[in-house]
Amino acid sequence: MNPTRPPLAIRIHPADNVAIVANDGGLPAGTELPGGLVLREKVPQGHKVALTDIAVGGVVRRYNVTVGYARQPIAAGSWVHERITDMPSARALEGLPMATVPAPDWAPLDGHSFEGYVNADGSVGTRNLLAITTTVQCVAGVVDIAAERIRRELLPEFPHVDGVVALEHSYGCGVAIDAPGAEIPIRTLRHISLNPNFGGEVLVVSLGCEKLQPDRLLPPGTFPLVDGRDAASGPDTVCLQHDSHVGFQSMVQDIVQRARPILERLNARRRQTVPAAKLVVGVQCGGSDAFSGVTANPAVGHMADLLVRAGATIMFSENTEVRDAVEQLTSRAATPEVAAAVVRELGWYDAYLERGRVDRAANTTPGNKAGGLSNIAEKAMGSIVKSGSAAISHVLPPGEKLKADQTGLVFAATPASDFICGTLQLAAGMNLHVFTTGRGTPYGLAAVPVVKVATRSELARRWHDLMDVNAGKIADGDASIEDVGRELFELLLDVASGRKKTWAEQWKLHNALVLFNPAPVT
């Protein structure tokens, strides 16, 4: 938003009694808004201004939803923020509308394709990567050094391989591995190893004494090896404690040598034209602000609808960031069974938070609040719009992998933490990631391209070499939600095809995998 532009406050719904200030830098006291309302005090960008007088205990309404209650009288023209409002209670998980909203009557979106790597199981990769799976954190340092040697010494010989990904994590030992909940991190690691961008190939590095043994992580017969190799034997495994390793360099050399035949097989692969239906896109937001629900997330929602119409799969997640919109999820479920699965997963997460003696109020960060989001109820209303308007076809528990017939709009039940959510969406089988941000974050993933969407033009200008799409032009009046949604859809096809790289890819920016482990640590 250009600071020289006239004052602008964005009201989402005619019934709302607050609007958010859109101008860069906010607006000073005494500013007259369109319609004649005068600001009683300075209101920062993205923050709410009262459009009417609100009495003590009165409803603060945004998105035509109660997002708070006034702790004190709030006069029209005043700044409305978290310190003068109370958060509403979450809706109970009983008595919800179950599969009551008819699915949109859309025409299929035909004729869209991308160039991808077709795998033996029918999945399609958007990148062609060598994955090195680790069973335990203890081996991470050795694997890092080996991976760097592979990149430096071997990759130049294999120009059709896009890179090497070391699947490091903090799990594998020192945990109650048979406790309730311990299956979640185990199946997460297993399913990440099966991500479409790894081409059905993997090299496993084990220490030897860890609780998560290789045959428990990837039991023989479960890994879909290709080219006529014996699937019953399981993937190729390096054990650092094996007697054959004499010294550190022998461990590194073993990993490097075992990588060569895998690289040869990966290098023989070529991109093929496949329908857009083969896209599996994960969406999430991080460093959110009040513009997230106005610009970037609605645009992603339109992109999601286009993907569903094209036959693709799109996953939205973040349990605490949809919990306050639960009735929207259950009512949009394709069937009562899907609605019941939504309730099951959100109920499980409610119980998980209760065990830790916290509740959903722990979600909003200081940055969220600085960006104008008073509480999780308000944040949830802006988060849920990433899912678009399609019927929810499936619900995926954390760490599970999508089946081939689980297409359309999927609720993948994950924590809202950026890194845990991204890790679980990788396990679910995503081959592309879309990440929206208002405050800004250099978030990235090594295993899949991450398309970053800025909610504000000011962020897109400052972080010009980190943000791939500027959704702030919606608030600027220079583009519609549909325009940016279509831009995202077309960009995904280009990125999936390798015709374009995201900024995170160009800078090789990526975050570590973070496993969701609700079981005890010993």
Side-chain angles (χ1 to χ4, degrees):
M1 177 69 62
N2 189 318
T4 63
R5 290 192 173 184
L8 175 63
I10 298 175
R11 186 184 200 177
I12 299 295
H13 190 277
D16 292 352
N17 60 1
V18 294
I20 66 166
V21 168
N23 301 75
D24 286 349
L27 293 172
T31 301
E32 183 176 338
L33 299 177
L37 181 67
V38 177
L39 297 187
R40 291 174 172 265
E41 55 194 309
K42 175 180 171 61
V43 180
Q45 184 188 34
H47 283 250
K48 296 178 287 298
V49 56
L51 302 177
T52 63
D53 293 340
I54 305 173
V56 174
V59 166
V60 177
R61 184 172 294 275
R62 186 172 179 231
Y63 301 104
N64 195 26
V65 169
T66 299
V67 298
Y69 297 99
R71 291 183 187 174
Q72 64 188 50
I74 302 175
S78 299
W79 177 17
V80 180
H81 50 79
E82 76 278 1
R83 295 182 297 280
I84 62 172
T85 58
D86 290 317
M87 185 173 69
S89 299
R91 176 161 180 172
L93 294 178
E94 296 82 31
L96 292 164
M98 308 291 273
T100 55
V101 175
D105 185 18
W106 289 327
L109 191 62
D110 298 324
H112 294 276
S113 62
F114 69 98
E115 306 298 311
Y117 295 96
V118 179
N119 299 316
D121 64 357
S123 66
V124 175
T126 61
R127 295 295 182 265
N128 191 28
L129 298 165
L130 167 66
I132 304 177
T133 293
T134 59
T135 58
V136 66
Q137 169 63 23
C138 309
V139 305
V142 177
V143 170
D144 272 348
I145 292 170
E148 185 53 40
R149 271 195 56 187
I150 293 167
R151 294 185 191 104
R152 185 177 65 251
E153 298 174 12
L154 298 188
L155 269 190
E157 301 177 35
F158 304 104
H160 298 288
V161 179
D162 294 315
V164 181
V165 177
L167 300 178
E168 299 174 10
H169 55 87
S170 59
Y171 195 69
C173 209
V175 294
I177 202 163
D178 292 313
E183 71 278 4
I184 292 176
I186 296 171
R187 71 191 183 203
T188 300
L189 283 172
R190 177 182 303 134
H191 292 147
I192 288 175
S193 301
L194 300 172
N195 187 275
N197 286 356
F198 303 149
E201 301 278 1
V202 75
L203 172 60
V204 177
V205 178
S206 159
L207 180 60
C209 59
E210 65 271 25
K211 292 182 181 179
L212 184 58
Q213 289 289 300
D215 60 355
R216 182 163 184 170
L217 175 62
L218 293 166
T222 64
F223 203 83
L225 298 179
V226 294
D227 298 336
R229 284 169 287 133
D230 182 10
S233 65
D236 201 2
T237 302
V238 174
C239 176
L240 299 189
Q241 290 178 348
H242 195 276
D243 293 345
S244 62
H245 291 137
V246 180
F248 167 69
Q249 286 297 335
S250 71
M251 301 175 191
V252 173
Q253 186 61 26
D254 193 3
I255 297 170
V256 173
Q257 287 178 339
R258 300 217 200 188
R260 178 176 285 277
I262 299 174
L263 288 168
E264 289 172 350
R265 292 192 293 269
L266 289 172
N267 195 60
R269 290 155 54 85
R270 297 293 182 271
R271 290 186 181 272
Q272 303 174 43
T273 301
V274 294
K278 290 296 185 179
L279 288 175
V280 182
V281 180
V283 300
Q284 69 162 312
C285 49
S288 301
D289 66 359
F291 284 94
S292 295
V294 177
T295 60
N297 289 350
V300 169
H302 183 69
M303 175 207 74
D305 291 345
L306 295 175
L307 286 167
V308 171
R309 289 176 57 195
T313 302
I314 184 157
M315 291 180 285
F316 72 105
S317 300
E318 301 166 292
N319 292 340
T320 53
E321 295 187 16
V322 301
R323 176 64 176 83
D324 284 82
V326 59
E327 67 274 14
Q328 295 183 38
L329 302 189
T330 57
S331 62
R332 282 173 54 200
T335 66
E337 291 75 20
V338 171
V342 169
V343 172
R344 178 195 71 217
E345 292 301 326
L346 293 182
W348 184 90
Y349 206 75
D350 280 356
Y352 164 74
L353 292 177
E354 186 176 351
R355 287 197 303 273
R357 298 185 181 181
V358 298
D359 62 23
R360 76 198 205 289
N363 185 332
T364 49
T365 66
N368 295 154
K369 293 176 181 178
L373 295 172
S374 295
N375 54 47
I376 189 57
E378 182 179 5
K379 188 179 182 184
M381 295 308 131
S383 178
I384 191 69
V385 295
K386 294 195 303 295
S387 66
S389 54
I392 301 170
S393 56
H394 303 281
V395 174
L396 202 65
E400 291 289 10
K401 185 176 185 294
L402 286 165
K403 297 179 174 63
D405 60 350
Q406 289 180 319
T407 59
L409 180 64
V410 176
F411 175 55
T414 79
S417 162
D418 299 347
F419 320 111
I420 297 176
C421 176
T423 299
L424 287 168
Q425 289 185 344
L426 279 175
M430 75 170 170
N431 53 20
L432 274 180
H433 200 33
V434 177
F435 190 99
T436 68
T437 184
R439 304 296 292 171
T441 170
Y443 171 94
L445 294 171
V448 299
V450 179
V451 174
K452 301 274 271 303
V453 186
T455 71
R456 299 176 295 120
S457 294
E458 188 271 338
L459 174 64
R461 286 191 295 269
R462 281 194 301 113
W463 288 25
H464 58 91
D465 53 0
L466 286 169
M467 298 292 114
D468 300 292
V469 174
N470 175 23
K473 55 193 174 185
I474 296 169
D476 296 346
D478 296 330
S480 68
I481 289 169
E482 293 76 16
D483 291 338
V484 179
R486 172 64 72 162
E487 178 186 351
L488 274 166
F489 177 76
E490 299 292 347
L491 177 60
L492 289 187
L493 296 177
D494 283 339
V495 170
S497 300
R499 293 188 291 267
K500 289 185 178 179
K501 283 189 174 182
T502 67
W503 278 116
E505 284 187 287
Q506 291 186 51
W507 297 124
K508 294 180 169 48
L509 276 174
H510 66 269
N511 293 89
L513 299 177
V514 181
L515 298 177
F516 178 36
N517 179 23
V521 176
T522 61

